[in-house]
Amino acid sequence: QVQLVESGGGSVQSGGSLRLSCAASSDTGPYRYMAWFRQAPGKEREGVGFVDSVGTANYADSVQGRATISRDNTKNTVYLEMRRLKQEDTAMYYCATNHRTWMTLKESLKPLTYDIWGQGTQVTVSS
């Protein structure tokens, strides 16, 4: 089973940008959906967005217009670029995938839809 490793987190000032990477241990081609989630202390894990096998991405309302998710199957890597970061973006960010060949948009942002997770990378946004 593929393993996912996130990197690129860190501390950034409000208004800044960050690019997170999710490196897979094997070919990401068979995995149609690659998603990003985040979890702030004391809060539930929430979907940030996902990208499908042809590069089409969808985003949660909270990051719409500020996030770009992309994938490079030649590098077995998925990326999350966040711009105009806010303090409320502070969270542990996780990469996830599943073996689904189809899912609804509603399902795509639910943690239970995914069964393969990385260990997360912390993003802290300061004022």
Side-chain angles (χ1 to χ4, degrees):
Q1 171 156 291
V2 67
Q3 294 182 326
L4 305 174
V5 178
E6 302 92 336
S7 61
S11 297
V12 62
Q13 286 193 322
S14 181
S17 301
L18 211 58
R19 189 175 83 154
L20 307 181
S21 299
C22 170
S25 60
S26 61
D27 185 10
T28 51
Y31 297 90
R32 181 173 182 179
Y33 301 105
M34 301 292 296
W36 285 95
F37 286 79
R38 65 185 183 184
Q39 188 166 19
K43 294 189 176 181
E44 293 186 354
R45 192 167 297 190
E46 66 169 356
V48 175
F50 75 93
V51 62
D52 68 14
S53 56
V54 296
T56 301
N58 283 276
Y59 305 96
D61 290 344
S62 58
V63 300
Q64 184 71 45
R66 300 190 298 120
T68 301
I69 298 175
S70 59
R71 66 192 288 173
D72 185 341
N73 287 340
T74 66
K75 297 181 179 180
N76 298 330
T77 303
V78 181
Y79 304 97
L80 168 62
E81 180 181 356
M82 291 282 293
R83 304 173 295 278
R84 302 192 302 277
L85 284 160
K86 308 174 184 179
Q87 284 186 273
E88 50 263 45
D89 293 319
T90 294
M92 185 72 80
Y93 283 71
Y94 298 90
C95 179
T97 190
N98 56 31
H99 295 89
R100 301 276 291 268
T101 57
W102 182 86
M103 60 184 180
T104 65
L105 281 177
K106 188 175 181 179
E107 289 177 310
S108 70
L109 296 178
K110 291 186 179 295
L112 288 178
T113 303
Y114 299 85
D115 54 2
I116 301 171
W117 293 84
Q119 85 292 344
T121 185
Q122 177 68 38
V123 173
T124 302
V125 184
S126 59
S127 60

